[in-house]
Amino acid sequence: METGGSLAQAIRKPTLTPKAIIHQRFGSNASYTVKEVEEPTQNECPGLAILQKGPCLYRCTLELPDFTVVSDSFKKKKDAEQSAAQMALEKLGIKPSADSPTAEEAWRELIARVKYIFSNEFLSALHPLSSHFKAALRRIGDANGSVPASVIAICDAKPNNLCKIINPTVESHPFLVLSYIMRAAAGLQELVVSPEERFSIWRKDPYPPDVIESSMSQQSNVAECITIMAIYIPCSPEKAVEPVVLNISTTGYYLDVIAQKLGLSDGNMVLISRTIGKASSETRFYFEAPKSYPLDMSSDLLNAKVVTLGGPLNARATYICGQDIYGDSILASIGYTWKGQDLFYEDVTLQSYYRMLISKTPNGVYKLSREAILAAELPLTFTTKTNWKGSFPREILSSFCRQYRLSEPVFCISDCPLKASLELSRSNKKPEVPETAEQEGGYSNGNGAVDSKSGGFGSSFTCEVKIYSRCQDLILECAPNILYKKQNDAVQSVSLKVLSWLNAFFKDTAMPLEKQKQLANVFGIKFCPQNFSKEVVQCASVYNCQQNDTLGGKDPESYDVVENDLSSVNIEGPESGLCPSGGSLLCVSYSVSLVTKGELQKELLESIEEFEFEMGTGAVIPCLEAVVSQMSVGQSACFYRELPPEDLVLAAAKDSENALAFLSLSCCLEYSIILLRVTEPPEDRMEQALFSPPLSKQRVEYAVRQIKESCVTSLVDFGCGSGSLLESLMDYQTSLEIIVGVDISQKSLSRAAKVLHSKLVMKSDPDAPCKSIKSVVLYDGSITDFDSRLCGFDLGTCLEVIEHMEEDQACLFGDIVLSSFRPRILIVSTPNYEYNVILQKSTLTSQEDDPEEKLQSQSCKFRNHDHKFEWTREQFKHWASELAVRHNYNVEFSGVGGAADQEPGYASQIAVFRRGILPKDDGHGEHEDSACQYKAIWQWNRSKPPLTN
């Protein structure tokens, strides 16, 4: 028998989990005990001497009356429990059935369900629907005991699921459930009465008095009048949305009160929509039921044809709800819940209504998550997790899918092996991504290809996302050709691309198809126009929430409006020298008010005492960012802006009545801002914004040139950290044979070992650049301690390390390395403090100032919060020259980023020490007692691979 096509086969009967089946059979006799376990982790780096802690794992023991089972180890406790339950079922010989019921079986189950909910037993059950039954028993006149069919449809999920199996079109026409419920009730004439002219059902025989008394005792019997705010939404778009008051008695039935407001005789004639917002919400639309069934009851029940509901479509309510609403409607938050037997209710204000309206767009969801409707904008790029404020892109995308009744987005993360990453980074093919994406997170270089260092542990990540309808029709997919070093960054960035494309569509819902496709190509998106139109476009076009560019009867020439011209901005307060720059994290205090001509009247709409956002990411409205970019910390500014769409103003306004009065006058928005603080971006991101290639890569290339020119065969990297320099050297063909790295962080050394191992295992490749390298050793130790194993190397490097030490320790390092280790060549680089004025667009302060004042200004002057000092060119030359003279070295100065003959010099200054003639006494004897203070963490030898731990 036909049951609606392929979708019917796709709908499966909800299958009980193994744990649920065990509970059905054993109840409290089944005991679960979950314990955390430690298991040996697979060593990603053979030979690594640092203990690697694996992920937290759990194992579950399930005790049944006759036997006990123990699960395998899992990352989640619930997975361990389900595994134990599954093992128990297998031991019992029980196989859970996942077969889908036929349409006839679903129909019989629906009849049985309707019969059960009108039984004596159900009236006393703790169920939202049973509370409606009790309230129905308090109704007076002919409505006494009568339960609206729409209540059964929205309060009990089982009839909905069964109806979807009977007729799959129920998914897109949810009110068809009413007809099936009424038809099922018609087959129970011995139990219930269901007249065709009314959408209600009641028991044929009254409930026994003892059942009524027992069930009513669970609810409060105190008569009380409740006043609830709701919203009346006329069907005609010319009529205004307005608040309405519902006066409901706790001993009455709230649906009858709503019916009266809609001009209906009683609550039986009211249809109820699905919930708006969260699934746990009781916010719904209430509107008049049609005069006839929405189903052709004369046809075969299992192949019934849909009959369109009568009456004009309510465009505004339909847009918010996502399902067709006809005629005038009331939006209210009221109903019975699982939490208790008493009536639950919340006020729905005009502000609530307009917030629901703007939440239908990704930009609106982000604005609401920040509680900054008139200031915030969905950022254009995802930089770092710590700098992102408000709901994350993935959360917003999931929220959007729920709003439009789509399936949850499906993400597929791919681990891109190191070799593939390198091939991509060397290729000339530019990924098809927008220009803004090329700098996202600092993971790709100026050519759009991925920097090989972003692989982290030898891998980078790509992510694609697909969005399907509830019927599993593909709507769109996005698979940008960008590599990220963190999985989360890949997921968030691809989500943001989809959201940005959707935002562009909602700004112009009449956008031609060709333009939609062009814009989709920019973001790396492919979409099915037919499915996108069906699921999103039609819904959005029903009610375009961006109806007007600006609203209100204002005269723009009456104000100094800031849109593209900043000359009228009034900035007050002394210049502090602490100014924002690209990538800075700003904190402002602001307020937004409606003001009339001449500022005779003012109405506060929105204010936040501390609002943070990242500069240069589009996280706030353009005019606000343009004004803040001219300010310094401590200054205040005031400017005016034309009115945005009315929806945004009313979503922000706490007093909707006053706001509407202002909007009818000549008015605009006044913004008042104080810049509280500026946190500079991390050093690497700040440098990447200015230099291409980044300074880190330029420093590596400088070191490689020195290696090639000097034909060195051995190198020691002092303060190697996570091995960024050593890893990069693997990509260049040099004369190096022996490489050593030293650092005091075991965590960093562990990362360095893993990434070096991942590159060196490519030694079988005859074209591998690192084929000349014979051995690599990583040591755990301080570079201010002596270890004889580091003596006699051709080249020593110390790139961007000394500024992380105290100045006296940096001087000690210089003496130790040149007097004891004595490499033939030593390269030291450190930030040029004078260049910070360009990087940070700030005013330099003297490092000779009062120490307390220095500490107060240091945090936003040094490039990294961990820097203990940063030297000017003169200070650096003084330090290096004295070292060279003391230890018989020659020194020359250079740098990367900038130029020597242009102020303020290089961004990163470099000193290259070259050893003179060694004295007869090399000074090693005084260190014999402490000759080997370093601990070898990891060793690799080409002729003898490291042993696996």
Side-chain angles (χ1 to χ4, degrees):
M1 181 184 303
E2 293 294 330
T3 58
S6 60
L7 180 61
Q9 282 77 41
I11 300 175
R12 298 294 177 189
K13 180 180 179 180
T15 305
L16 292 175
T17 64
K19 190 175 177 182
I21 297 173
I22 290 293
H23 177 73
Q24 281 185 343
R25 289 179 170 261
F26 296 95
S28 60
N29 292 323
S31 174
Y32 295 86
T33 305
V34 180
K35 292 183 178 180
E36 187 174 340
V37 296
E38 291 185 6
E39 292 191 351
T41 59
Q42 182 179 0
N43 201 333
E44 301 176 35
C45 183
L48 184 62
I50 301 174
L51 180 63
Q52 300 297 290
K53 185 178 180 181
C56 185
L57 299 176
Y58 300 95
R59 185 178 293 146
C60 177
T61 300
L62 171 57
E63 296 182 25
L64 296 176
D66 297 328
F67 61 87
T68 299
V69 293
V70 180
S71 74
D72 293 330
S73 300
F74 294 87
K75 290 183 179 180
K76 295 182 179 180
K77 294 180 181 180
K78 63 179 182 180
D79 291 340
E81 291 176 338
Q82 293 292 358
S83 175
Q86 180 62 41
M87 294 170 67
L89 291 179
E90 292 173 358
K91 199 164 184 177
L92 292 166
I94 299 174
K95 295 183 178 180
S97 174
D99 294 336
S100 172
T102 63
E104 293 93 337
E105 291 171 339
W107 173 244
R108 287 194 292 270
E109 286 188 42
L110 178 61
I111 295 174
R113 182 64 183 176
V114 173
K115 182 178 181 180
Y116 167 69
I117 62 179
F118 279 92
S119 66
N120 295 340
E121 179 186 355
F122 185 76
L123 188 64
S124 300
L126 182 60
H127 193 290
L129 185 55
S130 69
S131 297
H132 280 273
F133 276 60
K134 295 163 194 171
L137 291 173
R138 292 194 290 264
R139 300 175 80 179
I140 59 176
D142 293 340
N144 180 259
S146 176
V147 179
S150 59
V151 165
I152 300 174
I154 61 111
C155 287
D156 193 0
K158 290 185 178 179
N160 279 276
N161 293 331
L162 292 169
C163 288
K164 290 175 185 177
I165 298 173
I166 297 169
N167 187 348
T169 58
V170 166
E171 181 67 48
S172 53
H173 298 86
F175 292 123
L176 288 179
V177 177
L178 297 176
S179 297
Y180 283 113
I181 289 174
M182 294 298 293
R183 184 60 179 267
L188 297 169
Q189 295 182 4
E190 76 288 351
L191 177 64
V192 297
V193 177
S194 55
E196 292 188 5
E197 69 277 3
R198 304 183 69 181
F199 268 101
S200 61
I201 310 171
W202 62 90
R203 273 177 59 120
K204 193 171 186 178
D205 298 324
Y207 289 99
D210 59 327
V211 173
I212 295 177
E213 183 180 352
S214 173
S215 62
M216 292 298 187
S217 64
Q218 300 173 11
Q219 291 183 312
S220 173
N221 292 319
V222 179
E224 182 183 352
C225 184
I226 303 170
T227 300
I228 303 171
M229 295 298 298
I231 298 297
Y232 189 88
I233 307 172
C235 181
S236 172
E238 283 77 28
K239 295 183 179 179
V241 174
E242 56 186 25
V244 63
V245 178
L246 304 177
N247 294 310
I248 298 171
S249 171
T250 54
T251 57
Y253 193 28
Y254 74 88
L255 274 180
D256 291 332
V257 176
I258 292 176
Q260 290 175 11
K261 292 293 181 180
L262 290 171
L264 305 176
S265 58
D266 58 58
N268 293 339
M269 300 306 298
V270 175
L271 288 186
I272 309 173
S273 77
R274 51 192 167 214
T275 57
I276 312 299
K278 296 180 180 179
S280 58
S281 167
E282 285 301 315
T283 305
R284 304 174 189 271
F285 283 98
Y286 298 83
F287 61 104
E288 183 181 0
K291 298 296 186 285
S292 59
Y293 290 131
L295 183 70
D296 181 5
M297 300 301 289
S298 62
S299 63
D300 180 11
L301 179 68
L302 303 181
N303 293 287
K305 297 179 180 179
V306 176
V307 176
T308 305
L309 285 169
L313 189 71
N314 189 320
R316 290 174 288 195
T318 296
Y319 177 70
I320 292 177
C321 184
Q323 71 182 93
D324 292 345
I325 306 294
Y326 293 89
D328 297 345
S329 67
I330 287 178
L331 176 64
S333 181
I334 185 172
Y336 296 102
T337 70
W338 289 93
K339 297 179 180 179
Q341 297 285 305
D342 294 327
L343 188 66
F344 167 85
Y345 57 90
E346 286 180 326
D347 286 338
V348 178
T349 62
L350 272 177
Q351 184 190 43
S352 306
Y353 165 78
Y354 282 104
R355 287 184 171 223
M356 292 178 196
L357 200 59
I358 68 172
S359 71
K360 296 290 287 187
T361 68
N363 196 33
V365 175
Y366 181 76
K367 286 174 175 287
L368 290 170
S369 74
R370 300 229 57 195
E371 286 294 329
I373 294 170
L374 299 174
E377 289 282 313
L378 180 69
L380 300 174
T381 58
F382 182 85
T383 54
T384 64
K385 184 177 180 181
T386 53
N387 278 11
W388 184 277
K389 306 301 176 182
S391 295
F392 284 97
R394 180 174 183 170
E395 298 170 15
I396 298 174
L397 186 58
S398 295
S399 175
F400 176 85
C401 290
R402 289 191 291 270
Q403 287 273 12
Y404 286 85
R405 302 289 293 174
L406 307 176
S407 296
E408 285 290 311
V410 179
F411 295 90
C412 180
I413 302 172
S414 300
D415 186 345
C416 186
L418 177 66
K419 188 172 182 180
S421 302
L422 292 176
E423 290 173 355
L424 178 58
S425 66
R426 292 169 187 157
S427 69
N428 294 322
K429 182 179 179 181
K430 183 175 181 177
E432 296 179 0
V433 294
E435 293 180 5
T436 54
E438 293 178 5
Q439 297 176 355
E440 283 186 8
Y443 300 146
S444 56
N445 61 30
N447 297 322
V450 177
D451 187 78
S452 60
K453 288 187 292 183
S454 63
F457 288 92
S459 294
S460 297
F461 301 95
T462 62
C463 180
E464 68 173 337
V465 61
K466 295 182 179 180
I467 297 178
Y468 296 88
S469 69
R470 287 292 176 98
C471 299
Q472 294 305 298
D473 295 324
L474 180 64
I475 296 174
L476 66 82
E477 60 181 321
C478 180
N481 189 16
I482 301 179
L483 297 183
Y484 297 87
K485 60 184 179 182
K486 294 181 180 179
Q487 291 188 20
N488 180 64
D489 290 348
V491 171
Q492 301 296 354
S493 294
V494 74
S495 298
L496 187 55
K497 289 183 183 300
V498 175
L499 294 172
S500 299
W501 180 68
L502 290 170
N503 259 348
F505 164 75
F506 280 103
K507 288 180 180 178
D508 181 13
T509 53
M511 184 187 301
L513 179 59
E514 281 305 311
K515 189 175 179 181
Q516 291 181 32
K517 291 181 177 179
Q518 291 174 3
L519 194 60
N521 289 335
V522 171
F523 289 99
I525 293 173
K526 296 179 181 178
F527 72 103
C528 176
Q530 184 178 358
N531 294 338
F532 181 68
S533 176
K534 176 183 176 183
E535 301 293 342
V536 179
V537 177
Q538 289 181 8
C539 180
S541 62
V542 168
Y543 176 76
N544 185 359
C545 63
Q546 304 287 346
Q547 296 178 74
N548 301 296
D549 292 333
T550 55
L551 296 175
K554 64 184 184 306
D555 177 10
E557 296 180 359
S558 303
Y559 307 92
D560 292 324
V561 176
V562 175
E563 293 297 339
N564 300 315
D565 180 18
L566 300 180
S567 60
S568 61
V569 176
N570 180 25
I571 298 177
E572 298 180 346
E575 173 73 39
S576 67
L578 303 181
C579 301
S581 58
S584 302
L585 189 64
L586 275 58
C587 182
V588 301
S589 172
Y590 80 89
S591 64
V592 186
S593 301
L594 278 169
V595 293
T596 59
K597 184 176 181 179
E599 298 188 33
L600 298 177
Q601 293 178 294
K602 182 182 290 190
E603 174 73 14
L604 179 65
L605 295 177
E606 179 175 287
S607 65
I608 298 181
E609 291 187 2
E610 290 197 358
F611 178 76
E612 287 188 321
F613 65 94
E614 186 175 0
M615 192 77 171
T617 61
V620 292
I621 57 175
C623 57
L624 192 153
E625 181 166 303
V627 171
V628 173
S629 67
Q630 298 189 11
M631 300 169 64
S632 64
V633 171
Q635 288 187 321
S636 61
C638 179
F639 65 91
Y640 298 94
R641 181 197 177 199
E642 292 183 355
L643 290 180
E646 184 182 65
D647 304 334
L648 296 178
V649 175
L650 294 176
K654 294 179 175 60
D655 190 331
S656 303
E657 186 176 349
N658 279 356
L660 285 168
F662 269 81
L663 291 174
S664 65
L665 304 173
S666 176
C667 63
C668 70
L669 293 185
E670 178 191 75
Y671 284 74
S672 298
I673 310 170
I674 301 175
L675 181 56
L676 301 178
R677 59 179 178 270
V678 175
T679 304
E680 292 299 336
E683 182 180 4
D684 56 346
R685 287 191 52 221
M686 190 161 45
E687 292 174 350
Q688 281 186 356
L690 231 72
F691 301 103
S692 179
L695 282 183
S696 57
K697 190 171 184 179
Q698 292 187 42
R699 285 189 289 266
V700 170
E701 291 173 346
Y702 183 92
V704 169
R705 287 198 301 271
Q706 294 292 329
I707 292 169
K708 289 184 175 181
E709 291 173 5
S710 306
C711 297
V712 298
T713 59
S714 58
L715 175 144
V716 55
D717 187 18
F718 296 102
C720 65
S722 299
S724 57
L725 171 63
L726 304 183
E727 175 193 358
S728 299
L729 289 175
M730 301 294 149
D731 299 333
Y732 295 90
Q733 195 163 354
T734 66
S735 55
L736 286 174
E737 297 178 359
I738 301 172
I739 292 179
V740 169
V742 184
D743 204 272
I744 58 173
S745 169
Q746 288 198 355
K747 182 178 180 180
S748 296
L749 288 168
S750 177
R751 291 175 59 90
K754 291 172 183 176
V755 74
L756 289 173
H757 172 74
S758 66
K759 288 205 170 186
L760 289 166
V761 292
M762 294 166 55
K763 62 183 182 293
S764 57
D765 185 350
D767 297 325
C770 57
K771 61 183 178 182
S772 65
I773 297 173
K774 296 179 180 178
S775 70
V776 181
V777 184
L778 297 180
Y779 288 114
D780 175 14
S782 170
I783 59 175
T784 58
D785 292 334
F786 174 76
D787 190 301
S788 60
R789 290 171 292 185
L790 268 61
C791 293
F793 276 73
D794 291 335
L795 177 67
T797 55
C798 184
L799 307 184
E800 308 297 290
V801 174
I802 60 173
E803 64 272 10
H804 295 271
M805 311 163 70
E806 297 294 343
E807 289 189 67
D808 60 337
Q809 291 294 302
C811 294
L812 176 61
F813 161 72
D815 286 327
I816 289 290
V817 70
L818 296 185
S819 68
S820 300
F821 295 129
R822 300 192 65 78
R824 183 156 60 91
I825 302 171
L826 174 67
I827 303 174
V828 179
S829 77
T830 190
N832 173 14
Y833 177 75
E834 297 167 90
Y835 208 91
N836 292 1
V837 68
I838 295 177
L839 289 173
Q840 303 171 4
K841 297 180 182 178
S842 59
T843 303
L844 287 173
T845 58
S846 172
Q847 295 203 49
E848 305 302 325
D849 289 342
D850 181 77
E852 291 187 4
E853 294 181 5
K854 178 181 174 182
L855 285 173
Q856 291 173 1
S857 62
Q858 240 180 29
S859 60
C860 60
K861 282 300 167 186
F862 291 169
R863 299 183 198 177
N864 191 307
H865 67 88
D866 190 47
H867 287 185
K868 303 299 189 295
F869 66 89
E870 286 182 7
W871 282 335
T872 63
R873 287 169 289 177
E874 182 181 349
Q875 290 172 315
F876 182 58
K877 285 183 179 179
H878 178 75
W879 173 80
S881 300
E882 283 197 346
L883 274 178
V885 171
R886 266 200 314 271
H887 302 294
N888 193 27
Y889 274 78
N890 298 317
V891 63
E892 57 189 50
F893 297 94
S894 184
V896 294
D901 56 352
Q902 295 180 3
E903 289 296 324
Y906 292 109
S908 186
Q909 49 191 342
I910 298 175
V912 180
F913 299 85
R914 298 185 187 277
R915 191 179 64 202
I917 301 174
L918 277 173
K920 293 181 180 179
D921 182 9
D922 62 7
H924 290 169
E926 60 183 290
H927 299 289
E928 286 180 356
D929 294 338
S930 58
C932 296
Q933 295 196 54
Y934 297 164
K935 178 184 177 182
I937 293 300
W938 180 74
Q939 301 180 56
W940 178 88
N941 193 296
R942 185 171 293 277
S943 60
K944 185 180 179 182
L947 297 175
T948 303
N949 290 347

